[in-house]
Each structure stands twice: as structure tokens, then as C-alpha cells.
Amino acid sequence: MTQALSSWTDGPARRAILDFVAATTDKNSSDFVPAPERIAVFDNDGTLWCEQPLQVQVLFAFDRAAAMAAADPSLAQRQPFKAFLDHDRAAIHALGKQGIFEFAFAVHAGMSIEAFQDEVRQWLVTARHPKLDRPYPQVVYQPQLELLAYLRAHDFKTFIVSGGGIDFMRAFAEPVYGVPPEQVIGSSVKTELQETGGRLALMKLAQLDTFDDRAVKPANIGLHIGRRPILAFGNSDGDQAMLRYTLDGPGPRLALLVHHDDNERETAYDRDFKLSPLIETLDRAAEFGIQVVSVKRDWAQVFPPPR
């Protein structure tokens, strides 16, 4: 029989997960949680897959901006198009996380959700990570794939709750993570129902509807799930509200935080990542009751074997 969570080293983080799942699924345990209440939420960028040197959707927006500039060269002199076309990291970082994602969403305005997701899927087939040189569906974290599957095998319902675009993630979350689109929560733009050629479609507008970060994450969990999670996993200060919201409910709770401290197998970063820093949540993890997961110490394997 294959060992559970085989890509995790046998340390405090792995034992905390195994003990938590054992206690919450044992009907004879005082910590038993009925299956409908076994809700687990995961951030995506930096928690389920690599977000360095930039979040994958931002890299996708680079290519989309280049295609738009080829059709309309005047865009190359307009900001923030110019920053994206020049890959000007300083100018891009100056926009802030929300500003960057607003631009990434806006470059797809005027497309139907279906057409946008088809474009995402096609891009993911050919695009390769600039450092790891593998397709983006293979820059997922093997320990997290195992954890998602392990939780589902014990009747947990797994959700993604991320600052990334909801339609972007829904294009690949099911085949990559096993998370169906209705269990993906993310940032979104406003849409408009339009009829074209006798068919109705939801068209993406260039207006931000919700930016799913920080305190907005618990609000969207309440709106879309309707149950407080009993397990949450994040990797930045943008996830702190979700982790604490999970821990502050009654009964058994587990919140985990990925700390990217392995510069050999991936990229080491925390407080220096301007777009999504990890500062307060790391410094106060013990105070909050959050289990820190060290990539260097707790993950025996980081990525799946190359295919």
C-alpha cells in the first residue's frame, strides 16, 4: 500500500495533517466532523503551484498584451501596456497586486467566458515556465496534489480560494487539481449577457467585480460556500484572513502556511516578494496557531516528475 502523503517528509507538518484527518473522520473521536462539514480551502498561487518569478496569470497577460500590441502598435507606448510589453518589473510592481491583476483581467474584455477559457487551455499546452522550463500544469506542487487527493479520499470537499482570476483557474483546475469549476473561487470581472448569432453568452467586461484577497476571501467563502472551512492552506499575508477565519470556528481546525525557503529546488522568498509578501503571517504564525510548512524541510519532492 502506498504511504499517505509520500512526498512529505515525516515531520510536524505531515503528522499534524494525518492526525487532524484521522480525528475528524473517526466516528468514535470527540473531534469527529460529519462529511458535509469537512470543507478545505486552498490558495492557488504559491500554495498549489509556483508563483515565481510572477503569478502565472500575469505571465499569460504578457502574451495577450503582446498579441494586442501587434494588432494595434499604438498600445506599445501606453501604460501599463508598455510595462508589460517591456517586461519592466519595477513598473509592474509599482502597480501593486490588485492593479496588476486588474490589467490582466482587462486585456480579455470583450471575450466570452468560454472563448477566454479555450485560450487559456491552448496557452497552457505550449507555454513553459521561464526558470523551470516545463509546462505550467507541471509546476504544481506534488505534495499538494497528494494532499488534495488524500482529503477527498476522506470525504473532504476541496475548494480553491485565490486572488487569481476565477475564469482562468476554472480552465484547468479540474484536470490539474481534481477541483471542479464550481469549487473554484477567485477574483472576477463584471460580465454582461449578450446575444450573438442567436446564442446567449456571458461576455467579460473591463470592470473589476471582486478582488479575492485578504478580508475578501472569508467574505467570498461565506457567499459561495456557506460553511466555515475546517482546514485552510495559504502562503502569504493575503491568505491570513482566510487562515484565521478558519481557525476561529468551533471544533477541530487546521491552518497551514507554505514557507518558500528552498532556493535549490524552487525559489526562496517571503517578505521580499512585493506582489504577495509573507511577513506578518510568518512572524505571528505560532501566535495565531498556524502550522508553518517549510518547502526545504517538509517536502521531500517539490514538483511531479517531468513528462
Side-chain angles (χ1 to χ4, degrees):
M1 182 176 176
T2 303
Q3 182 187 33
L5 307 182
S6 59
S7 292
W8 291 70
T9 58
D10 187 20
R14 180 175 180 273
R15 288 195 294 272
I17 293 169
L18 295 177
D19 290 347
F20 179 78
V21 172
T24 55
T25 58
D26 180 358
K27 290 185 177 180
N28 296 317
S29 168
S30 59
D31 287 331
F32 174 73
V33 176
E37 298 175 21
R38 295 177 204 159
I39 303 296
V41 293
F42 289 75
D43 172 56
N44 182 48
D45 293 310
T47 300
L48 294 181
W49 72 355
C50 182
E51 66 177 352
Q52 293 293 328
L54 290 168
Q55 287 91 347
V56 176
Q57 188 165 1
V58 178
L59 298 174
F60 173 58
F62 280 162
D63 288 356
R64 174 67 177 168
M68 293 175 70
D72 181 2
S74 68
L75 293 175
Q77 302 307 314
R78 288 164 44 190
Q79 293 289 16
F81 272 94
K82 188 177 189 317
F84 275 77
L85 293 169
D86 293 343
H87 289 204
D88 184 342
R89 294 281 177 81
I92 291 170
H93 285 168
L95 296 171
K97 186 177 180 181
Q98 180 168 333
I100 290 171
F101 274 94
E102 283 181 350
F103 175 79
F105 302 151
V107 295
H108 296 93
M111 300 179 71
S112 71
I113 290 175
E114 291 85 355
F116 169 75
Q117 291 180 332
D118 285 344
E119 186 173 295
V120 172
R121 294 184 189 103
Q122 292 169 17
W123 182 81
L124 288 173
V125 169
T126 58
R128 300 183 73 85
H129 188 276
K131 178 181 177 180
L132 301 171
D133 191 29
R134 54 167 67 192
Y136 288 104
Q138 294 181 36
V139 300
V140 297
Y141 300 128
Q142 180 64 27
Q144 300 293 59
L145 294 179
E146 293 172 2
L147 177 56
L148 288 166
Y150 181 72
L151 291 172
R152 289 192 290 265
H154 289 81
D155 294 325
F156 278 75
K157 198 169 187 178
T158 54
F159 289 81
I160 294 173
V161 182
S162 173
I166 190 168
D167 297 321
F168 183 83
M169 294 184 292
R170 283 176 172 172
F172 64 83
E174 192 159 31
V176 173
Y177 301 132
V179 178
E182 64 270 20
Q183 289 168 217
V184 174
I185 300 169
S187 300
S188 62
V189 295
K190 293 183 179 180
T191 58
E192 182 177 80
L193 186 65
Q194 296 180 8
E195 183 174 355
T196 305
R199 296 176 63 89
L200 293 176
L202 286 171
M203 308 300 289
K204 298 170 74 68
L205 305 179
Q207 297 173 263
L208 185 67
D209 188 20
T210 180
F211 185 57
D212 193 49
D213 198 39
R214 298 185 180 266
V216 180
K217 289 195 173 193
N220 276 336
I221 287 170
L223 178 65
H224 294 282
I225 301 176
R227 294 183 189 270
R228 192 187 292 250
I230 65 170
L231 184 151
F233 216 136
N235 81 300
S236 75
D237 286 346
D239 300 313
Q240 184 189 126
M242 179 174 75
L243 298 176
R244 294 183 64 189
Y245 173 71
T246 297
L247 289 172
D248 284 347
R253 306 270 152 181
L254 181 63
L256 303 110
L257 179 76
V258 179
H259 183 207
H260 293 276
D261 56 357
D262 190 328
N263 210 37
E264 293 184 11
R265 297 182 299 171
E266 194 210 10
T267 301
Y269 66 98
D270 42 48
R271 60 193 69 236
D272 56 323
F273 185 35
K274 291 182 170 50
L275 296 187
S276 195
L278 174 61
I279 304 171
E280 183 186 27
T281 315
L282 182 62
D283 293 344
R284 301 179 66 186
E287 174 189 343
F288 293 145
I290 296 170
Q291 173 72 55
V292 176
V293 176
S294 160
V295 172
K296 182 184 292 186
R297 182 188 67 239
D298 293 311
W299 287 356
Q301 179 180 341
V302 177
F303 299 109
R307 297 198 301 266

